[in-house]
Amino acid sequence: MLYRIALTGRAALAGFVKGRLQMRIAIAGFMHESNTFSSSRTDRAAFAEQSLVFGPALLEEWRDAHHEVGGFIEAARADGFELVPLLMAWAMPAGPVADAIFEEITNRLIEELRQQRPDGLLLALHGAMVAESHLDADGDVLARLRQALGPESPIVVTLDLHGNISQRLIDNCNAAIAYRTCPHVDQRECGRRAASTLVRMLRGEIHPRQALAKPPVIVNIMVHDTSCEPLKSFMEEARTLERQPGILAVSLLPGFPYADVPHMGPSIIVVADNNAELARREAERLGAKLWDARERLVRKLPDAATAVSQALNAQKLPVVLV
Ligand SMILES: [Zn+2]
């Protein structure tokens, strides 16, 4: 039983809904997509410019957002849990995160978890964050949060489809669930799915076990659109697999190629109910399929001069140069 019962005063009163103790779930986000080929650094000002909010202020800023954190907040009412808002840090994709702000945010999260002692944690990560001294910044944050929270409290993580996922990240959370679409139109829904997974865990209804497969390919950014082949079929297969008994979530992330890190590349994460072997088998099966499709994951693109010349001679307008 994971619910905390040592609540006092107002917290105790607020904790009882319809005669039962309400679970307290911490929500937080620490998100960056880091391009290691960029000479820029993403510093505190870069986060402050977009979102760097602490405590209840994050609820106001993110409640209505088409974002997984908006989904976490919405789920609190639907799934009947008390929100413990910790912080939200989000900066525009750019060069690696400066160590100073990486440490500040990570340490603040650790402090908050130690003080608040929630029943569980919902954490929005991007999955492709690199800091100056941390090639696997997302994995390192989670490892430190897991240590602060202890092994018993569940952690469910949401991920952008462009995350480069490490085994360290998977080892330090109970379930990781990624967006299903690119462009990302299901972010809020992703947050709700993560919240529902955590709530079902806390109620003892499910016992997630997850596995990661990393086929050794690079998925060209030009084939990431999930409404087009080849990814369309892969996403449909993931949804079919999710309907099988014992499977809780299937994520297929093409990854972020502009990161020179060991765990760069696509990731398949399968979360199964109390069945690590099933998760491993299905993740590896999908990973092998992606490997078999590798020829279709390549796009031949014109170089910059050719692209400009093609644009100038285009018969159909507008032309977008990317
Ligand atoms: Zn993305």
Side-chain angles (χ1 to χ4, degrees):
M1 196 62 176
L2 291 155
Y3 303 170
R4 280 208 312 140
I5 50 168
L7 295 172
T8 54
R10 279 175 70 96
L13 285 174
F16 278 95
V17 169
K18 292 179 189 159
R20 70 181 177 82
L21 193 62
Q22 196 179 24
M23 26 184 148
R24 297 173 69 248
I25 295 181
I27 62 167
F30 186 9
M31 303 184 71
H32 193 248
E33 183 180 72
S34 313
N35 182 331
T36 66
F37 299 97
S38 164
S39 57
S40 71
R41 285 291 172 271
T42 301
D43 56 11
R44 194 180 205 284
F47 279 94
E49 210 171 278
Q50 298 301 327
S51 183
L52 187 57
V53 281
F54 301 93
L58 94 79
L59 300 178
E60 292 317 305
E61 192 170 315
W62 289 88
R63 188 185 305 277
D64 298 325
H66 171 66
H67 191 274
E68 50 274 33
V69 171
F72 295 163
I73 297 168
E74 184 185 320
R77 187 175 297 177
D79 293 330
F81 60 85
E82 183 190 336
L83 283 167
V84 182
L86 304 184
L87 68 85
M88 178 61 181
W90 181 84
M92 283 297 279
V97 174
D99 278 348
I101 185 65
F102 176 79
E103 291 298 329
E104 180 188 330
I105 293 168
T106 307
N107 289 331
R108 178 78 181 250
L109 280 170
I110 291 169
E111 253 171 61
E112 289 286 331
L113 286 175
R114 287 197 174 132
Q115 274 178 26
Q116 302 276 1
R117 300 181 56 78
D119 297 309
L121 170 66
L122 284 169
L123 180 66
L125 293 173
H126 181 284
M129 179 162 62
V130 175
E132 284 171 316
S133 303
H134 302 267
L135 289 180
D136 180 16
D138 297 285
D140 289 350
V141 169
L142 258 187
R144 285 159 74 176
L145 298 189
R146 167 55 81 203
Q147 206 175 21
L149 208 54
E152 298 302 325
S153 298
I155 301 176
V156 177
V157 169
T158 53
L159 296 164
D160 188 289
L161 206 77
H162 295 108
N164 293 317
I165 308 311
S166 69
Q167 188 61 47
R168 185 167 169 77
L169 187 151
I170 295 300
D171 289 344
N172 284 286
C173 65
N174 299 82
I177 298 173
Y179 310 158
R180 295 167 166 178
T181 56
C182 179
H184 310 317
V185 295
D186 68 323
Q187 288 179 256
R188 208 173 155 94
E189 185 199 324
C190 181
R192 288 201 308 267
R193 284 192 290 130
S196 144
T197 303
L198 182 58
V199 165
R200 291 177 67 203
M201 273 190 80
L202 284 167
R203 288 183 185 144
E205 294 169 8
I206 53 170
H207 301 88
R209 300 284 181 271
Q210 59 181 350
L212 170 71
K214 300 281 293 180
V217 290
I218 297 175
V219 183
N220 188 294
I221 204 103
M222 295 304 290
V223 300
H224 284 202
D225 188 334
T226 50
S227 65
C228 300
E229 295 297 351
L231 279 197
K232 184 171 182 275
S233 296
F234 276 98
M235 290 305 175
E236 283 166 2
E237 181 158 1
R239 301 293 75 78
T240 304
L241 180 56
E242 264 174 350
R243 287 192 288 273
Q244 282 188 23
I247 301 286
L248 298 172
V250 180
S251 300
L252 191 154
L253 304 85
F256 183 61
Y258 308 112
D260 191 10
V261 296
H263 51 285
M264 187 278 294
S267 311
I268 289 122
I269 307 166
V270 175
V271 187
D273 190 11
N274 208 15
N275 193 337
E277 176 51 28
L278 176 63
R280 189 196 58 77
R281 197 174 64 226
E282 291 302 324
E284 281 178 7
R285 187 180 62 78
L286 274 182
K289 270 193 118 161
L290 200 69
W291 168 251
D292 290 341
R294 61 193 178 280
E295 303 290 342
R296 296 161 63 212
L297 304 176
V298 178
R299 278 287 179 278
K300 288 238 174 338
L301 300 174
D303 61 23
T306 311
V308 170
S309 141
Q310 285 178 358
L312 288 171
N313 293 313
Q315 299 300 310
K316 274 189 184 172
L317 295 173
V319 173
V320 180
L321 290 167
V322 184

